[in-house]
Amino acid sequence: AQSVAQPEDQVNVAEGNPLTVKCTYSVSGNPYLFWYVQYPNRGLQFLLKYITGDNLVKGSYGFEAEFNKSQTSFHLKKPSALVSDSALYFCAVRIITSGSARQLTFGSGTQLTVLP
Amino acid sequence: DGGITQSPKYLFRKEGQNVTLSCEQNLNHDAMYWYRQDPGQGLRLIYYSQIVNDFQKGDIAEGYSVSREKKESFPLTVTSAQKNPTAFYLCASRRASGVNTGELFFGEGSRLTVL
């Protein structure tokens, strides 16, 4: 079975500092990995994805993520945090070989707070 | 603009009543999904549908029902059998044919509160 873990429920960072939101995964095949962001009482918005190729993936709003196969991780990063980045972030995983439409398995989410 | 529309945004229900949440998409996507979100638990899959007139149970289907009579529409009914229906419900869709990397597109959600 595939699973994804976000070990931190809450991450606080000062504005202008770099931020990292952690994600680790467990799959039996090659994973597709995703990051989504959710603002209060809104739907999820897609940020970026890793499918294959370069381990460093760049996405929306200046975010990037690094795929590390040996550590089974896909941490979300941003060089300089903004107050407007404060939101709930979800990591998700999908197995490439799966034929099921069940598709994505989501982590439990990490609340990011950027302090002014 | 293409997207997914969920309605209503907020809904209040008395115990024992069934309610139906609407989800419409004009993205021409084949697959549609319903998720439930509770604080600290992430998203849990309720039902999904890959094609019209076909749908499958997800991880927490008990107390819910769906239909897929049209490609664009995937309504969710929360029945009186659902023991704890107060939650935020999210509808999503995905293109299931052609170039497909699994990315989901989400609606803005419906918040159901049982009084």
Side-chain angles (χ1 to χ4, degrees):
Chain A
Q2 61 189 45
S3 66
V4 60
Q6 294 181 241
E8 300 162 317
D9 293 334
Q10 174 81 41
V11 170
N12 295 327
V13 64
E15 187 176 27
N17 283 1
L19 70 86
T20 299
V21 183
K22 296 180 180 178
C23 172
T24 59
Y25 65 90
S26 175
V27 299
S28 56
N30 293 315
Y32 286 175
L33 292 157
F34 303 81
W35 276 102
Y36 287 83
V37 61
Q38 184 182 33
Y39 297 96
N41 293 311
R42 303 291 299 275
L44 275 67
Q45 297 177 32
F46 169 77
L47 278 179
L48 52 78
K49 63 187 174 187
Y50 171 81
I51 305 301
T52 186
D54 194 348
N55 290 342
L56 184 64
V57 178
K58 294 188 182 297
S60 306
Y61 313 120
F63 284 94
E64 58 188 28
E66 185 169 10
F67 172 66
N68 188 318
K69 189 171 184 177
S70 63
Q71 297 185 5
T72 62
S73 68
F74 188 57
H75 301 331
L76 181 70
K77 300 181 179 183
K78 187 173 183 180
S80 179
L82 301 172
V83 172
S84 58
D85 292 329
S86 298
L88 186 59
Y89 290 81
F90 289 97
C91 182
V93 65
R94 171 187 172 229
I95 302 175
I96 296 174
T97 56
S98 172
S100 169
R102 292 172 63 98
Q103 295 295 315
L104 299 186
T105 299
F106 287 86
S108 56
T110 298
Q111 180 66 48
L112 172 68
T113 301
V114 180
L115 305 169
Chain B
D1 290 337
I4 301 176
T5 300
Q6 290 187 240
S7 63
K9 179 72 173 177
Y10 299 95
L11 184 61
F12 297 89
R13 184 194 96 176
K14 294 181 180 179
E15 284 193 23
Q17 289 182 334
N18 293 353
V19 293
T20 297
L21 307 181
S22 171
C23 179
E24 303 278 334
Q25 55 99 358
N26 60 4
L27 300 167
N28 199 32
H29 284 174
D30 300 293
M32 297 187 73
Y33 305 78
W34 274 105
Y35 288 91
R36 171 178 170 142
Q37 184 178 15
D38 296 283
Q41 295 192 44
L43 276 68
R44 292 183 290 170
L45 183 64
I46 305 173
Y47 267 98
Y48 63 97
S49 169
Q50 295 189 76
I51 57 174
V52 174
N53 293 323
D54 183 61
F55 48 84
Q56 305 295 328
K57 292 182 178 180
D59 300 313
I60 56 165
E62 185 176 353
Y64 299 98
S65 66
V66 294
S67 63
R68 187 85 187 277
E69 297 177 0
K70 299 185 300 181
K71 186 176 184 179
E72 301 80 16
S73 179
F74 191 42
L76 173 73
T77 297
V78 185
T79 75
S80 58
Q82 169 49 234
K83 300 300 183 187
N84 184 21
T86 295
F88 191 53
Y89 291 88
L90 289 161
C91 180
S93 70
R94 179 183 65 85
R95 186 175 61 181
S97 59
V99 177
N100 172 25
T101 55
E103 177 183 336
L104 291 180
F105 294 81
F106 284 85
E108 292 290 83
S110 293
R111 185 167 297 281
L112 173 63
T113 302
V114 174
L115 304 174

